[in-house]
Amino acid sequence: MKFFVDTADLEEIRDLAASGLLDGVTTNPSLVAKTGQDFFEVVKEICKIVDGPVSAEVTATDHETMVKEGRKLAQLAKNIAVKVPLTKDGLRACRQLRDDGTMVNVTLCFSAAQAILAAKAGASFVSPFVGRLDDIGEDGMGLIDDICRIYEQYEHFETEVLVASIRHPIHVIEAAKMGAHVATVPPKVLRQLFQHPLTDKGLAAFLADWQKTGQSIL
Ligand code: E4P
């Protein structure tokens, strides 16, 4: 399973990339707005920090302008994945950008039917938003299960399921059990994955006992 971090905050990305466990980054217009920085500069910098796919989203809504924006974004770095919304125009733009050889992440997916269309449009990634479905009383992880099962039926579907809008570690664990290819995780949740109180307690006890021996490894 691949881990992407869901942020445009350069410091967070640098810090998490240093763990060696980061496979990519997803941004969206809201995350970029939060940084208060120039979109192109932020995206170029992220692409230097992380070798894997970096999603940068178009903001046009008609397919022609989406393709123009997508082509401009794709020129920023080799690892750009152009993010387009799951609309009719977005999927048309997806097909054209894929024909150019550009990675495309189809975002704002909220149903299995939409995910089938994304795969048929040749998307590199489809991003179903689990947290936002949970927020309105729907079953976010149920959607991931459906999409994973559907994609498994068709060998020619090359689209990776990128679980988005993750709110807590259980979302990540459930996504892994279902065989989702990627989880894009907010920095806070990614850090939570490392933690367990018994790890801290166990380590403190080991170190206290080791100190009593008066020895050192180096
Ligand atoms: C990722 O690609 C999405 O933009 C993101 O996960 C949305 O998450 P949110 O629902 O927490 O805004």
Side-chain angles (χ1 to χ4, degrees):
M1 182 185 215
K2 287 177 255 186
F3 281 163
F4 292 180
V5 65
D6 195 25
T7 185
D9 184 318
L10 294 173
E11 285 317 304
E12 292 276 31
I13 295 168
R14 276 193 198 100
D15 182 52
L16 291 161
S19 71
L21 298 172
L22 202 58
D23 302 296
V25 177
T26 51
T27 70
N28 63 36
S30 308
L31 293 170
V32 172
K34 229 172 161 178
T35 68
Q37 290 174 277
D38 178 80
F39 175 45
F40 293 101
E41 293 309 315
V42 170
V43 170
K44 275 194 279 185
E45 198 51 41
I46 298 173
C47 289
K48 283 186 204 157
I49 303 170
V50 179
D51 292 333
V54 173
S55 290
E57 190 159 341
V58 300
T59 53
T61 52
D62 67 283
H63 88 270
E64 213 177 321
T65 320
M66 280 188 203
V67 170
K68 276 188 198 154
E69 289 184 353
R71 286 182 176 150
K72 185 171 173 180
L73 293 173
Q75 279 172 1
L76 295 177
K78 277 194 288 193
N79 51 336
I80 288 283
V82 174
K83 223 174 172 188
V84 299
L86 208 156
T87 60
K88 213 165 154 209
D89 277 73
L91 293 182
R92 191 168 165 190
C94 171
R95 170 56 66 203
Q96 281 181 258
L97 291 164
R98 290 297 292 136
D99 288 347
D100 288 352
T102 298
M103 282 187 285
V104 178
N105 175 358
V106 176
T107 190
L108 291 167
C109 173
F110 292 96
S111 78
Q114 289 181 318
I116 294 169
L117 295 178
K120 285 182 67 69
S124 317
F125 305 99
V126 65
S127 293
F129 280 30
V130 296
R132 292 192 195 186
L133 280 171
D134 292 352
D135 290 346
I136 60 160
E138 291 193 25
D139 181 7
M141 291 316 301
L143 174 61
I144 302 302
D145 195 31
D146 284 348
I147 298 172
C148 289
R149 283 171 194 236
I150 292 167
Y151 281 12
E152 272 168 25
Q153 310 301 314
Y154 298 95
E155 265 180 30
H156 64 285
F157 279 2
E158 287 175 354
T159 306
E160 295 190 27
V161 180
L162 193 168
V163 182
S165 188
I166 281 179
R167 300 275 197 260
H168 46 69
I170 303 293
H171 276 152
V172 180
I173 296 164
E174 290 298 315
K177 283 189 198 167
M178 290 167 188
H181 306 88
V182 192
T184 188
V185 190
K188 184 182 153 220
V189 179
L190 206 39
R191 291 202 177 86
Q192 283 179 304
L193 299 182
F194 288 89
Q195 291 160 9
H196 196 285
L198 290 181
T199 304
D200 298 340
K201 195 179 165 196
L203 183 59
F206 287 156
L207 294 182
D209 289 340
W210 178 247
Q211 218 170 11
K212 285 180 211 155
T213 70
Q215 300 179 59
S216 95
I217 294 176
L218 294 176

